[in-house]
Amino acid sequence: MKILILSLFLLSSFGAFAKCKVYGISDSPQKLTCQFPEMEVRLSCRWNTYYLNSEKVNLAFHMEVEEGAVPLVFKTKSGVTLTVLPEEQILAEYTDGKVWAEGTCRR
């Protein structure tokens, strides 16, 4: 019984060790839910890998800016791009080559 409880504890705590990183940003978001007109996009971190909805993010980086908040960009192999600007309200931009939308995100 003790082994079962210990095993369940260890398995449930692996989520705490899953830490996704955006190159150059020390406090990268681990989870976001973004609302756009007509759709919702979820950014999640599983096993040190970002996903946009269920699609793996191949590139995560921050844009170089001279002043102000640093936009974070998440791109998938299929061309989906989510750009977020972490200010008081997290502003977001979504594009997939056909659709372009502006919205907001929450953690």
Side-chain angles (χ1 to χ4, degrees), residues 3-104:
I3 294 174
L4 176 63
I5 292 171
L6 180 59
S7 298
L8 289 173
F9 173 75
L10 289 174
L11 287 174
S12 66
S13 40
F14 275 117
F17 296 113
K19 177 108 169 117
C20 292
K21 297 178 183 176
V22 174
Y23 179 75
I25 301 292
S26 60
D27 60 344
S28 303
Q30 299 300 295
K31 182 168 97 170
L32 291 174
T33 301
C34 303
Q35 293 296 136
F36 300 94
E38 314 285 327
M39 73 179 134
E40 178 178 273
V41 175
R42 292 179 185 269
L43 175 73
S44 61
C45 173
R46 295 188 303 253
W47 298 102
N48 299 324
T49 302
Y50 277 118
Y51 290 86
L52 285 178
N53 293 335
S54 60
E55 190 174 356
K56 181 180 177 181
V57 171
N58 289 16
L59 187 59
F61 63 94
H62 72 281
M63 284 185 186
E64 293 289 332
V65 294
E66 295 205 17
E67 290 183 20
V70 176
L72 304 177
V73 181
F74 304 91
K75 291 187 175 193
T76 67
K77 191 174 183 176
S78 71
V80 173
T81 302
L82 176 69
T83 305
V84 296
L85 185 61
E87 293 184 325
E88 279 183 38
Q89 181 180 16
I90 302 172
L91 304 175
E93 184 178 284
Y94 170 91
T95 185
D96 66 5
K98 298 178 226 167
V99 175
W100 178 87
E102 289 183 315
T104 59

